[in-house]
Structure formats: C-alpha cells, structure tokens
Amino acid sequence: MPSDPSPNARDPASVAARAGDAWYTDAAEYWESVPATVDGMLGGFGSLTAPDVACSKRFIDEFVNGKKDAAGNVVVPPRIGRDLACDCGAGIGRVSKYFLLDIFAKVDLVEQNAKFLEEAKGAFLGGEWKGRVEKFLPVGLQSFVPEEGRYDLIWCQWVLSHLSDEDLVAFLQRCKKGVKSNGLIGVKENVTSSGADIDSDDSSVTRSDAILKGLFEQAGLRIVKQDLQTGFPQGLYAVQIPCEPMNFETGAEITLILRVIAMKYFV
C-alpha cells in the first residue's frame, strides 16, 4: 500500500507517542479489514512468497545447518537448534507454513488478530502441518512477553514497523530473554533510504537502516549478518533483516540481522 508522503512524517517515535493507544487500535482496525489470505497478508503481492521464502532460507541456512566451504564441507557447526521458532506478527501463518516449518519442528504463532489466528488454526495450517503449532498467542508485540529461554529463533517479519521506538526497544529486550542461550532473533523489515515514512492507513513506520540499527543498539543487540532480498519487482522499499543481540551482562550472543527488499511502494 502507498505510504503517506507527508514531509513531516519523519519522526516515528514522536508520531507514535502523540497517538498513544490509538496508534495500536487504529492498526488493529486496519487489519480487521484485510482478508485472511496470503494476498491479504502481503498487500496484494501474494506472488512474492516464493522469492521471499527462498531468500530467508538461504539467509538462515548457515545457522541451522552449519557454514560450508566451496566443497560443501561444514567448517562452522550449526549455531542454533531446530526444535522451536516463534513467528511474531504471524497473520495466518504464511511465514511459518512456507519457511519456518520447513526448518523447525514446531512454532508458536504470535498474532493479535483473532480472524487470522482462526484461519491459521483451521485450513491454512491444517493437513500435514496440523499439530506443529504449539501455541497460538493472541497478543500484540507491544504486550508480548516470551517465555524465558523457550525459542531457538524468534522471527519478526514486516511487523516491527507497527511498534513505536520505545515499544520496539522494549520488545527486543524481552526477546533477548525469550531465546535460548545460543538462540537468534531474526528481523526482516522494509527500510527507507533515509529518515522514516509514516503510513497513516495502518499505523506503521518504515525506518531507515540507520534508525533501525540505532534501536537495535539501544536494545543491546549486535548484528551478526545482514543481506538484501532479491527477486522482488523494482520500485519497492529495501527490506532489512537484522537478527542478533548481545547480552552485555553475560557477554553471550543472543540474536542476528538480515537485509531484504520490501513491500511498500516508494512515493
């Protein structure tokens, strides 16, 4: 969907703060109007699922299968287990079905929209995927508190733009506690070339690479990898995927970062 081109829409923290609770209730109302389909989850770009998933799988491969040399020999062992991932802002479970459940044994779905969760519980994640979702958690990320040490990977894709700066930092700090000692936090988000763009339709903020990295730093995260999404049409935002925090109290690494191409048109 087009972004609000207003030249004053450049300070996501102040915009969200001024809006208060309405920032989140307006977003919830917007998503209530969206159909519980793959096209709905991707703003009419359902065909992007294949390149989206392919890029995410390539990105995460070295962390779950180990880093390999040119001959295909594993030179660095896998970093994380493949037991349980958390799909944040899961919608109907598109990312889980086509990406996470191809790698991890089970997932938890975090999604505040009841309609989307019902679709995930029913037809969309039925059949061969039935029983592979451990928990359906009906909560927004601004309120989500992961169980400590539960996840191998917490994956956040095209959802952190709905959080204010303050809530985003707090959410990432909670995620640091929610992953296992060697776990990762994956972030796949749209980025602007500079500043931030506010979309008043769905209460979202598309931040620049520099702003996102500043927020990751505030949360105590360290980027260990980033990449750029390929295979998307021209004229879409660049998408960044960051995934890795540093626990400064213990010195233990916790999370990770990736970079991709995004969903919203430039205006």
Side-chain angles (χ1 to χ4, degrees):
M1 71 202 71
S3 296
D4 184 348
S6 168
N8 296 321
R10 295 295 179 213
D11 187 346
S14 65
V15 170
R18 289 198 303 272
D21 290 342
W23 179 259
Y24 296 112
T25 56
D26 287 352
E29 289 176 5
Y30 168 83
W31 286 104
E32 273 298 321
S33 68
V34 172
T37 63
V38 170
D39 253 9
M41 299 301 96
L42 292 177
F45 292 94
S47 62
L48 296 183
T49 287
D52 164 42
V53 169
C55 183
S56 295
K57 286 181 178 179
R58 286 194 302 270
F59 179 76
I60 206 74
D61 182 73
E62 67 180 272
F63 299 102
V64 294
N65 294 316
K67 195 168 186 176
K68 301 175 183 177
D69 62 18
N73 302 308
V74 175
V75 294
V76 179
R79 169 169 177 163
I80 62 175
R82 302 177 67 158
D83 296 325
L84 182 63
C86 182
D87 185 354
C88 291
I92 63 173
R94 182 192 69 91
V95 170
S96 285
K97 182 173 183 175
Y98 298 116
F99 167 40
L100 295 175
L101 285 174
D102 206 36
I103 297 171
F104 297 90
K106 292 190 174 182
V107 297
D108 285 352
L109 266 58
V110 182
E111 172 55 54
Q112 67 178 1
N113 186 288
K115 174 180 63 177
F116 296 161
L117 279 186
E118 285 305 309
E119 178 64 20
K121 290 177 184 178
F124 196 73
L125 286 174
E128 63 184 283
W129 293 277
K130 189 172 179 63
R132 295 186 62 193
V133 180
E134 283 210 346
K135 294 183 179 182
F136 294 89
L137 300 165
V139 62
L141 298 190
Q142 69 274 18
S143 303
F144 175 52
V145 181
E147 180 183 327
E148 190 165 345
R150 177 171 173 80
Y151 300 109
D152 295 295
L153 173 73
I154 295 178
W155 187 261
C156 312
Q157 180 164 342
W158 292 322
V159 66
L160 299 186
S161 60
H162 289 292
L163 296 179
S164 68
D165 285 6
E166 181 180 1
D167 286 341
L168 174 51
V169 170
F171 166 72
L172 292 173
Q173 289 172 334
R174 296 194 298 272
C175 286
K176 288 171 60 177
K177 298 179 180 179
V179 294
K180 297 175 182 177
S181 60
N182 60 337
L184 295 172
I185 299 167
V187 176
K188 188 169 184 175
E189 286 292 329
N190 300 352
V191 293
T192 63
S193 56
S194 64
D197 287 343
I198 309 299
D199 188 325
S200 57
D201 290 336
D202 64 359
S203 292
S204 68
V205 178
T206 303
R207 300 170 172 95
S208 69
D209 182 72
I211 290 175
L212 276 174
K213 287 178 177 176
L215 295 174
F216 297 147
E217 184 177 359
Q218 287 182 45
L221 308 188
R222 182 173 65 89
I223 297 172
V224 295
K225 181 179 180 179
Q226 65 179 32
D227 203 351
L228 185 67
Q229 172 77 44
T230 58
F232 279 10
Q234 295 295 315
L236 297 180
Y237 274 127
V239 184
Q240 169 147 313
I241 310 178
C243 306
E244 169 141 10
M246 171 69 76
N247 183 325
F248 291 106
E249 294 181 358
T250 65
E253 295 178 353
I254 302 178
T255 316
L256 157 78
I257 281 194
L258 168 69
R259 203 173 177 177
V260 191
I261 279 208
M263 296 305 308
K264 294 182 181 178
Y265 283 114
F266 284 116
V267 292

